[in-house]
Amino acid sequence: MPICIRSPASIANLGPGFDVLSLAIQEPYDDVYVELSRGDDRVDFMGDYSHYLPNDYRATTLYPVIEEFRRIAGIDFGVHIVVKKGIKPASGLGSSGADAAALAYALNKLLNAGLDYKSLIRVAALGEIAAAGTPHMDNVAASLLGGLVIINQ
């Protein structure tokens, strides 16, 4: 059974809270549809800003999240993902974090992995390595939890 997650944009690095304060905003947002499958992964990007994304999903924030859930679950599963991109990449609104957070939440539900929010944030932050070179929790935490978030590692 597929699951659809609406993941909000976020604003991070608020004032003196560099990498520790972030805020989810109501719009724009990405819709991420996820379904487990038998076979190879398939990722489709659509929407106003899909053309900004790499053709190879392994170069996006989605791939590290998929791989980490394979490790956590201890099984090799296939996944079909459709990202309807409503957050413009490189706009300062946490576009990559929104997708990683939505996918982590969806896979946790679909695989009945039972991860708590702190663990989900850590998994989603791994996706940010693809976008920023290091795992950042600020944007993914805001997209996952909503509201104003303070990161306390």
Side-chain angles (χ1 to χ4, degrees):
M1 172 181 271
I3 188 170
C4 176
I5 306 298
R6 177 163 284 170
S7 193
S10 58
I11 301 170
N13 304 323
L14 300 170
F18 190 79
D19 285 347
V20 296
L21 285 177
S22 58
L23 177 69
I25 58 177
Q26 197 168 16
E27 292 182 2
Y29 51 83
D30 287 351
D31 287 324
V32 181
Y33 303 85
V34 183
E35 182 174 20
L36 297 179
S37 65
R38 292 188 174 113
D40 294 335
D41 297 333
R42 187 172 133 211
V43 179
D44 299 310
F45 298 106
M46 57 185 289
D48 295 340
Y49 302 111
S50 61
H51 63 281
Y52 287 97
L53 299 172
N55 290 331
D56 185 355
Y57 79 97
R58 289 172 292 210
T60 72
T61 60
L62 302 174
Y63 187 67
V65 174
I66 295 167
E67 288 299 301
E68 183 63 8
F69 267 97
R70 285 184 177 129
R71 187 193 68 74
I72 290 167
I75 58 172
D76 190 23
F77 59 86
V79 65
H80 178 212
I81 303 167
V82 178
V83 178
K84 184 176 179 191
K85 205 72 193 136
I87 306 169
K88 183 178 180 183
S91 64
L93 294 175
S95 173
S96 59
D99 294 344
L103 181 58
Y105 185 87
L107 288 176
N108 190 49
K109 292 293 185 189
L110 290 170
L111 294 167
N112 295 313
L115 298 183
D116 60 16
Y117 280 109
K118 187 173 183 178
S119 298
L120 286 175
I121 290 167
R122 290 191 189 283
V123 171
L126 293 175
E128 287 287 65
I129 295 170
T134 59
H136 287 281
M137 296 184 187
D138 48 4
N139 289 104
V140 297
S143 291
L144 189 62
L145 301 173
L148 178 66
V149 177
I150 301 172
I151 303 297
N152 180 10
Q153 299 179 21

